[in-house]
């Protein structure tokens, strides 16, 4: 659906986005994750046509964005970080105005506004002036204007920013529903947000894409955690079909319980069944060597641990 190749954006001498490439297919929910200033908004503005890239190319449905910008924009809905809503207008008047900006007129505009109000559950606030709405409801108005024209691609810049926990839950529910009919790209600096909503994460750091990973892959383990009575000095180094059964993975000891981390050699995306098979072999080997086994589990990976790992190794992954 959307492909960016070697995308860069400079503000003067400052490089805000540096040589970023990825592609996103139909129906994905992708989280653009990064600290403040990582370049998320800049990427979103380029994808939506609000900002010219300094270098690189954007493709929308196999067509270069520059060749048919109006065609691409007609299929993209955008919730900017700071939505320019008009405080004195009612929700209905504002959405009708936004529909006209999308070239929807008369009965088409009214039908589009009705649908957007229904999908964002704004029925109770239709006649309320926007300045009287809570932050959560204002965000919903922002999402409503983004979906008026039934876009195929929704780009949402920090959709839960500033919301309380209940409003955040409601917004997550809304985004999951919207994702049934559109590809969704949302930015956030909150890792749990990506875990809760997204299929895939694009992690940005200082303008660079440092990780592109499916969440389902992310949660697959790449190491076993073992707790045993066996001290490193007694540990006999061997290799069990891919596991380096080596004492140098010793994590520590307390009350005679030694903890080890056994990474699966060479496999980044290992399956649960592989972990189970290896766990059985490790258990057998420890028992054969006369050790007590107190614990044996696949290491649980989450975005937070991966973020630490990636920052430690400076590993760059551009799996498209
Ligand atoms: N118009 C501009 N002129 C100069 N520098 C800019 C401009 N817009 C953004 N920047 C800089 O580019 C970098 C990336 O900004 P961007 O807004 O894309 O980051 P972000 O990841 O969206 O951050 P945040 O989470 O704070 O919104 C930042 O260092 C920012 O200060």
């Amino acid at each position: 659906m959307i492909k960016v190749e070697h995308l860069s954006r400079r503000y003067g001498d400052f490089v805000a986005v540096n040589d970023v490439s990825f592609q996103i297919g139909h129906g994905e929910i992708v989280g653009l994750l990064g600290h403040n200033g990582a370049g998320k908004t800049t990427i979103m503005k380029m994808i939506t046509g609000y900002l010219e890239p300094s270098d690189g190319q954007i493709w929308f449905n196999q067509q270069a964005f520059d060749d048919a910008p109006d065609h691409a924009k007609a299929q993209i809905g955008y919730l900017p970080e700071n939505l320019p809503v008009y405080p004195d207008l009612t929700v209905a008047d504002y959405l009708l105005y936004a529909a006209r900006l999308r070239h929807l007129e008369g009965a088409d505009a009214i039908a589009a506004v009705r649908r957007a109000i229904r999908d964002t559950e704004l029925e109770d606030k239709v006649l309320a002036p926007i300045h009287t709405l809570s932050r959560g409801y204002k965000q919903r108005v922002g999402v409503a204007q983004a979906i008026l024209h039934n876009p195929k691609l929704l780009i949402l810049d920090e959709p839960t920013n500033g919301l309380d926990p209940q409003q955040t839950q409601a917004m997550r529910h809304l985004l999951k529903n919207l994702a049934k009919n559109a590809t969704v790209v949302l930015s956030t600096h909150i890792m749990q947000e990506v875990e809760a909503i997204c299929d895939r994460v694009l992690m940005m750091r200082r303008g660079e894409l440092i990780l592109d990973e499916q969440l389902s892959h992310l949660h697959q383990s790449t190491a076993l955690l073992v707790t045993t009575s066996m001290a490193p000095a007694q540990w006999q180094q061997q290799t069990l079909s891919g596991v380096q059964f080596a004492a140098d993975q010793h994590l520590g000891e307390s009350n005679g319980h030694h903890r080890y981390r056994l990474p699966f050699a060479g496999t980044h995306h290992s399956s649960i069944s592989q972990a189970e098979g290896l766990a059985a072999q490790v258990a057998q080997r420890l028992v054969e060597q006369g050790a007590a086994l107190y614990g044996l589990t696949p290491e649980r990976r989450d975005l937070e641990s991966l973020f630490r790992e990636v920052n430690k190794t400076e590993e760059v992954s551009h799996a498209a």
Side-chain angles (χ1 to χ4, degrees):
M1 160 153 267
I2 189 146
K3 181 161 94 169
V4 309
E5 281 184 323
H6 306 295
L7 200 62
S8 296
R9 171 70 201 196
R10 288 179 290 278
Y11 297 109
D13 289 340
F14 179 74
V15 183
V17 171
N18 188 14
D19 195 16
V20 166
S21 300
F22 57 81
Q23 47 183 310
I24 294 172
H26 284 280
E28 286 193 81
I29 313 184
V30 178
L32 197 51
L33 180 71
H35 292 313
N36 292 130
K40 306 179 296 293
T41 297
T42 304
I43 286 190
M44 291 186 145
K45 283 185 178 166
M46 288 191 281
I47 294 176
T48 49
Y50 279 74
L51 199 63
E52 285 270 312
S54 305
D55 285 304
Q57 184 71 271
I58 302 171
W59 305 80
F60 191 79
N61 284 341
Q62 275 100 43
Q63 191 168 35
F65 196 101
D66 289 346
D67 288 350
D70 291 340
H71 173 73
K73 283 182 193 170
Q75 299 185 60
I76 297 176
Y78 180 36
L79 172 70
E81 199 173 16
N82 300 307
L83 187 69
V85 283
Y86 298 92
D88 294 331
L89 290 184
T90 64
V91 170
D93 285 343
Y94 167 68
L95 290 176
L96 274 170
Y97 166 71
R100 273 183 219 117
L101 292 182
R102 287 284 180 187
H103 309 296
L104 292 162
E105 298 289 345
D108 288 345
I110 290 168
V113 169
R114 281 219 174 101
R115 189 183 39 76
I117 285 172
R118 186 198 61 212
D119 289 353
T120 51
E121 296 180 25
L122 276 167
E123 289 94 339
D124 295 347
K125 305 290 180 187
V126 174
L127 297 178
I130 288 174
H131 71 87
T132 66
L133 299 181
S134 70
R135 168 113 195 149
Y137 273 103
K138 279 190 190 136
Q139 284 290 85
R140 282 199 223 179
V141 175
V143 175
Q145 66 75 33
I147 61 174
L148 279 169
H149 55 303
N150 245 334
K152 300 274 182 301
L153 176 64
L154 258 179
I155 308 275
L156 309 167
D157 202 346
E158 309 245 3
T160 60
N161 194 17
L163 303 192
D164 68 28
Q166 206 175 350
Q167 292 170 334
T168 299
Q169 269 312 109
M171 180 59 78
R172 286 178 182 173
H173 178 72
L174 168 60
L175 297 182
K176 280 189 170 174
N177 271 339
L178 294 174
K180 290 175 188 161
N181 298 312
T183 301
V184 175
V185 180
L186 62 96
S187 76
T188 179
H189 53 272
I190 306 166
M191 297 193 199
Q192 293 87 337
E193 185 89 343
V194 176
E195 299 252 18
I197 307 178
C198 301
D199 306 321
R200 176 173 157 203
V201 60
L202 300 177
M203 207 182 273
M204 299 285 302
R205 183 182 55 202
R206 285 184 241 115
E208 298 194 349
L209 180 66
I210 55 164
L211 186 97
D212 179 347
E213 178 86 81
Q214 295 288 338
L215 271 272
S216 55
H217 286 166
L218 180 77
H219 290 139
Q220 287 171 9
S221 182
T222 58
L224 291 175
L225 296 175
V226 184
T227 310
T228 170
S229 61
M230 188 180 286
Q234 301 145 357
W235 193 284
Q236 293 169 25
Q237 180 157 336
Q238 28 194 316
T239 301
L240 304 176
S241 56
V243 173
Q244 200 62 34
F245 194 67
D248 58 1
Q249 304 291 337
H250 192 234
L251 298 176
E253 184 263 347
S254 106
N255 298 327
H257 291 199
H258 293 270
R259 288 180 299 109
Y260 298 88
R261 180 179 185 275
L262 305 182
F264 306 162
T267 53
H268 189 51
H269 299 145
S270 304
S271 69
I272 300 289
S273 60
Q274 187 187 1
E276 284 170 359
L278 293 167
Q281 291 181 49
V282 169
Q284 190 182 355
R285 218 42 76 94
L286 284 170
V287 170
E288 279 168 10
Q289 292 177 29
L293 178 60
Y294 302 119
L296 181 54
T297 57
E299 185 179 51
R300 165 101 180 112
R301 288 180 3 127
D302 55 21
L303 265 180
E304 221 163 314
S305 56
L306 190 69
F307 191 58
R308 276 199 304 272
E309 215 175 282
V310 162
N311 276 292
K312 201 166 64 192
T313 59
E314 297 281 325
E315 182 182 292
V316 178
S317 166
H318 287 247

